[in-house]
Amino acid sequence: MHTGGRDADDSWLEGDVVPMRGGGDTGFLPEVERVMEVLDSDHAWFHWWRSVSKAPVLDLAIFLLRTPQSLASVEANIYAGCDERVVRGRRRHLVRMHVDSDELSALEPDERRLLALPTVLDGISRVTTHLKIVGVPPPVPPAAQPAPLPPGVLRRRRLKELLD
């Protein structure tokens, strides 16, 4: 991890979550930001990215919406531009991906946090696959792992499964 101040040149991972639909803003969005900050400040990930890409920045744009297949045709046209797209640029690689808000809405806020790390890692995996970037990323630092679910959430989840 970085200690002390950070220069702009030390940053390799940027991005945000665009909540075009409700459902994930509690729990999911802040956790995505936290995970990205941890990976961005980790020396091993920084050196890995610099070794596999000439673009200084990987930009993950995560749109939170219903899948276009579940939308009416008019809405589908509005959100069609939010499907996954990987772009190679001179200064950055952009991965535009979407997360289904209906799936997040079915979860409790504490459970939504658990999807943040896999979502960010999926975006990193997509850019390396689509752009044929060769190199195995380092292990995920322990600080990026989500906190375990509280016992109350686990009990509510078990009760909900029993009632369904």
Side-chain angles (χ1 to χ4, degrees), residues 28 32 60 62 97 99 114-124:
F28 181 72
V32 167
L60 297 182
I62 303 168
M97 54 195 293
V99 172
L114 302 180
L115 297 180
L117 178 60
T119 300
V120 172
L121 294 177
D122 185 38
I124 294 170

Side-chain angles (χ1 to χ4, degrees), residues 37-57:
E37 187 175 315
V38 170
L39 292 181
D40 185 46
S41 63
D42 186 82
H43 280 300
W45 280 84
F46 172 78
H47 291 299
W48 167 76
W49 179 253
R50 288 294 191 260
S51 71
V52 299
S53 176
K54 291 184 172 136
V57 175

Side-chain angles (χ1 to χ4, degrees), residues 103-129:
E103 290 179 18
L104 289 177
S105 295
L107 302 173
E108 294 198 27
D110 282 334
E111 293 176 305
R112 294 175 194 160
R113 288 186 298 107
L114 302 180
L115 297 180
L117 178 60
T119 300
V120 172
L121 294 177
D122 185 38
I124 294 170
S125 174
R126 289 179 190 192
V127 76
T128 56
T129 301

